[in-house]
Amino acid sequence: MTSNAHLKELGELLKNRRGELSPRTVGLPGTGTRRVPGLRREEVAQLASVRTEYYTRIEQGRIPPTGPVLQILARVLHLSDEERDRVFELAGKGTDLPRRHRVQKTLPVLQQLLDDLAFTPAIVMGRRMDILAWNTLGAALVTDFSQIPHKHRNFVRVLFTDPAMRTLCADWDSVARLCVAMLRAQAAKHPGDPHLATLVGELSVRDDDFRTWWGSHKVTSATIGAKALRHPVAGDLALKWDTLTLNSTSDQHLTVWTAEPGSPSHDGLRLLAAWTASFDGNSSVT
């Protein structure tokens, strides 16, 4: 049962959020100078299609709102996923609503790291293993991501649909199996993601291997590994890959490929860096 303290905290959260919004933010016409900033209670009630008295009692912590009303208020007040979860918790309501995903934008710190890695191939991947950004050497090592349509910049999709990837990866089967298992982990983390469902459906129809491996339900969150490549410019490369995830978000990962210093593969990456020096391949997806 929800306590009075929880209802009071819920009301304060809604009140504070109401005070942070302007009429224009929620699609209402401006009404000139206001004595206090933010939306009025009657405006929130109007947008939520409830009586002002009912919303006032919720904000005062006098009554618990119903689940459907909470859903509407979360949308009206532009609550974040975390804020939405909190108001449901305070109201004693469970929610299995899928979390809303904002447009993926490369975190500034990851973009800065990319820009500073002159001799290390690197890419940034987001939800669903979408390719969000890359550096010059990352594009030279794998593929020119800028030539791939925005909506198709997904590492697993490129792996299964670009014939050149089967030539580039000396052990394509192992790499592809691992990536399918990693995509499975993403599906578990983001259930109900319509973009991921579309991707899986497309690849299942297009590729028998993908359909079989996806059906095996193998899951992994691997963050390190080794990869053997047959590169048309750098030659045979034996590389290690590692993944950096920031504490501030678990949805963006910086993946880098490195070679043992002094090895032929290390020399190959230096050769590839020199070969791409005259090109500006830095790019990002937002």
Side-chain angles (χ1 to χ4, degrees):
M1 183 175 180
T2 304
S3 68
N4 289 335
H6 283 163
L7 291 181
K8 288 289 187 183
E9 184 178 344
L10 169 63
E12 285 299 314
L13 193 157
L14 297 177
K15 179 181 177 180
N16 290 339
R17 184 57 180 152
R18 172 171 65 84
E20 295 171 352
L21 298 175
S22 69
R24 290 186 178 180
T25 301
V26 297
L28 293 175
T31 55
T33 304
R34 297 185 171 217
R35 289 184 299 173
V36 294
L39 299 176
R40 301 186 179 99
R41 283 174 175 167
E42 55 266 29
E43 291 172 331
V44 174
Q46 174 189 346
L47 292 168
S49 299
V50 297
R51 291 183 295 111
T52 301
E53 179 187 1
Y54 176 67
Y55 174 74
T56 299
R57 294 174 70 189
I58 293 174
E59 199 174 274
Q60 291 174 341
R62 296 164 57 191
I63 58 172
T66 65
V69 169
L70 275 181
Q71 293 178 31
I72 296 173
L73 289 175
R75 186 174 67 250
V76 167
L77 295 174
H78 295 197
L79 298 185
S80 67
D81 287 329
E82 292 75 15
E83 290 170 331
R84 184 183 63 168
D85 290 347
R86 183 57 177 161
V87 298
F88 270 86
E89 179 184 357
L90 291 171
K93 311 292 182 182
T95 175
D96 56 0
L97 295 173
R99 296 177 73 84
R100 297 164 292 177
H101 294 311
R102 299 176 179 84
V103 175
Q104 300 185 86
K105 295 183 178 180
T106 310
L107 293 174
V109 64
L110 292 182
Q111 186 63 62
Q112 182 177 348
L113 283 173
L114 278 178
D115 295 340
D116 289 343
L117 294 173
F119 297 104
T120 303
I123 63 174
V124 174
M125 286 191 284
R127 296 187 303 271
R128 304 177 296 270
M129 300 175 70
D130 287 346
I131 300 161
L132 306 184
W134 55 91
N135 64 4
T136 303
L137 205 51
L141 180 70
V142 183
T143 190
D144 186 354
F145 299 112
S146 67
Q147 297 303 307
I148 301 173
H150 191 142
K151 64 180 181 179
H152 291 159
R153 286 177 187 156
N154 175 276
F155 194 84
V156 181
R157 191 183 190 281
V158 171
L159 189 63
F160 277 90
T161 62
D162 185 349
M165 296 298 292
R166 297 176 187 257
T167 302
L168 176 67
C169 298
D171 190 1
W172 182 88
D173 279 16
S174 296
V175 173
R177 283 176 184 267
L178 177 64
C179 284
V180 171
M182 293 171 71
L183 191 64
R184 265 284 179 193
Q186 286 286 304
K189 185 178 179 182
H190 303 290
D193 184 334
H195 297 291
L196 194 148
T198 299
L199 173 66
V200 170
E202 176 196 355
L203 294 180
S204 295
V205 170
R206 294 182 59 161
D207 194 281
D208 291 340
D209 286 332
F210 180 89
R211 182 168 61 252
T212 299
W213 296 334
W214 184 262
S216 70
H217 294 272
K218 295 288 181 62
V219 178
T220 184
S221 298
T223 57
I224 59 173
K227 184 175 295 186
L229 301 180
R230 296 184 294 250
H231 197 274
V233 174
D236 291 343
L237 300 171
L239 305 177
K240 295 179 181 179
W241 61 270
D242 206 336
T243 302
L244 167 68
T245 301
L246 299 183
N247 289 333
S248 58
T249 178
S250 60
D251 280 345
Q252 292 190 24
H253 315 274
L254 175 71
T255 297
V256 298
W257 289 272
T258 59
E260 192 70 27
S263 67
S265 296
H266 185 264
D267 294 339
L269 288 182
R270 295 281 171 160
L271 171 65
L272 189 59
W275 184 75
T276 60
S278 60
F279 300 94
D280 180 14
N282 290 344
S283 185
S284 62
V285 182
T286 59

